Amino acid sequence: MSTIDLNFEEELKTFCENTALACFNCGTCTAVCPLVNDNFPRKMIRYIQVGAKDAILENANELYKCLHCGLCTHTCPRQADPGEIILGLKRFVVANWRRS
Amino acid sequence: MMKENDKKVGVYICYCGGNISDHVDVEAVRNRVEKMPGVAVAKTNMFMCSDPGQELIIDDLKSGKIDRVVVASCAPSLHETTFRGAIERAGANPFIYEHANIREQVSWVHHGDPATDKATVLISAAAAKARKLKPLEPIRVDAKKHAVVIGGGIAGIKSALEIARNGIEVAIIEKTGSLGGNLNNLGRLAPSGENASDILQEILGKVKAAPSITIHTGCEVTDVQGYVGNFTLDVKGRTDSFKIDTGAIVMATGSVSYQPFEGEFGFGTYPQVITLPTLIEALKQSKYQTETGWFEFGGKPVRNIAMIHCVGSRQIPGIHEPRENGQLNEYCSRTCCSAVLNAANQIKERFAKTRVVDMYRDIRTYGRGQEALYDRASANKVVFMRYEADAMPTVEKSSTPDFPLTVKIKDGLTFNEEMDVPADLVVLATGIEPSDVSGLASAMKLPVGTDRFLLEVHPKLRPVEFPVAGVFLAGTCQAPMDAGEACNAAGAAAAKTCALLSKGVIELDPFVAEVNPDKCQGHGNCVDACIKEGALKLVDVQRGGKTVTQAQVTAAMCLGCGACAAVCPEKAIDLNGWALEQYEDMVDAIVAA
């Protein structure tokens, strides 16, 4: 259970160009991702949309499996640029790791 | 009896391009039919409804070979009028016609010899009836060139304007004190963004400028008597009652927004839970922008708004709680998805800092130009969440002091994780419910669906018509629709009203009861059995210098059901076109075949 934080979207802007809210949860990114992780990267994009900051930090190890092949960004029908967002999330995680 | 047996029946059997002839041996049927009593001519054709097919009938009638016609083809609903028309063009009475349906009732459901045999039986019965048919004249009733529109919302106003434009006088009867209906409660309309009040002002200007439109506000119709072309309405005003004589009636009684019950999503419990109409009104009253950059409600800045779809719509038995009267609104109100996104876009485009979370069960902004509302909402950074009917969001008091409310939702888009959404304002997208016109509908014998909306005869074959002749319907009394669709329906109802009244005379089918004055003894059984009030009554007439009581039919009101014919001990009342002796001959023919 997480409390959603709609300001997170602003907060992330310092780490990447945040296009997460363009996503309409179609799942194409997850379908084409060569990693066999469940719902990656869609789940991360969704966590940004609802501002589930804790969930992102708890699952941060998933981010480091990403190969940055760019297939998700290439196929995204909404130009939400998932690849760039994942990169930005890594920066966010580094900045916030074990801060609390 | 010999005279009737002199009738020369022409039987025309259709192949329907294989639809019939693939299963029925049409030529074998023709050979059998030809030998039947009274049949003068039996012919076949690939398509009887084609011009050459119709010519067969016309030639035989003109040359005097036949004086009664039977066509065996598809269902009469499709081509009965076609063949009656052909008979009329041959200079004969169109009611000397009988139809045998050997497609839907035979070739589409039977095969081989049984199909051929059944076709033969149906045609022999039709031919036997045809020998007893007598020429009939359509009933002509004078129609008053006047229409009443019940309900002064956008549908009612629009149909009144269209009817008046065609030179027919109209009276609008509106229950409330002013015209405009639900449009009075709307702000900017989706998808164009026009102001509802601007549209209303323009259209009301036209109504006021139209001399042939009379407006009765604060009035209700309490009863309707009469029949097509000649209705009388009892109207009750705030201080007086009066009657209006009219030729046709358009029901445009509209709808209301669903009112949530106490505690539904926290409605009535928390002042921060409001309905969509309340939000729309607040947006109308609000300054275009605020100094804080937040949308303000009740004088307080609103940081987060949660909007919940499908409140009072798409309710499921066993999951949703019915009203005291057991009512559940199982239908989709259609317009709320667009209305919610339209409101969300206005908020985001005027008060960018306010965050909007849109919680839907399903979302569909149907209609031209309305998908763009979703795209715009997405671009405006509205956050969407999805819930299932069996796990509805709940609205609770927030456990933190930051926000007054928390909406708990099991979000399908976040892999069914439980989410707490802090909110300053919760907006319930309440659906559309029809205005309660049950009293009027039962007085006028109008059909009402289980969803309480009024029912037209058929959405494709007879749209915006009621089975009661001369009564039409328009707008949201029929189903949830937006203002544009209500205007479309209003235009259709107006066109049908004008087509009905424009000649000043209405022709009705002559299939009504007729009293034989030589036999009627005035028992009155028929009057008791009659289901249509006013269609049949006992009157005193002069016969042979004596005053006797006899039954009298008001042809324009008779439904042609035959209930009277069934109860008359003297066999003094019968139904034109469906007489008892015609049935007897049909039964004899079926047994003989």
Side-chain angles (χ1 to χ4, degrees), chain B residues 42-116:
Chain B
K43 293 180 177 171
T44 61
N45 194 275
M46 187 54 80
F47 288 106
M48 272 310 296
C49 56
S50 67
D51 281 350
Q54 294 187 44
E55 285 301 322
L56 290 178
I57 302 173
I58 293 173
D59 289 347
D60 289 347
L61 275 168
K62 278 187 177 166
S63 65
K65 276 192 211 158
I66 58 163
D67 54 14
R68 294 290 181 274
V69 178
V70 171
V71 175
S73 61
C74 48
S77 57
L78 200 58
H79 279 308
E80 189 174 58
T81 47
T82 309
F83 298 120
R84 285 199 203 285
I87 295 168
E88 224 169 356
R89 288 203 302 284
N93 183 292
F95 297 100
I96 55 156
Y97 174 78
E98 183 60 19
H99 198 98
N101 178 0
I102 59 164
R103 192 177 72 177
E104 284 84 344
Q105 291 181 359
V106 180
S107 68
W108 281 0
V109 286
H110 304 292
H111 311 288
D113 289 343
T116 304

Side-chain angles (χ1 to χ4, degrees), chain A residues 1-4 6-7 9-10 13 18 21-25 39 42-43 46-47 49-50 52 55 78, chain B residues 304 355-357 374-375 378 381-385 408 411-415 417-422:
Chain A
M1 205 272 299
S2 19
T3 300
I4 78 160
L6 297 174
N7 294 317
E9 198 253 328
E10 284 290 320
K13 275 186 183 162
N18 184 6
L21 277 169
C23 163
F24 61 9
N25 303 289
N39 298 311
R42 179 181 158 218
K43 199 173 201 170
R46 182 62 188 168
Y47 284 150
Q49 287 188 327
V50 298
R78 299 280 284 185
Chain B
N304 290 357
R355 310 278 190 182
V356 178
V357 182
Y374 177 86
D375 282 336
S378 209
K381 305 201 166 177
V382 170
V383 174
F384 291 94
M385 291 188 160
K408 288 184 179 294
D411 178 22
L413 298 182
T414 320
F415 314 93
E417 289 182 27
E418 302 274 351
M419 296 273 169
D420 280 4
V421 180

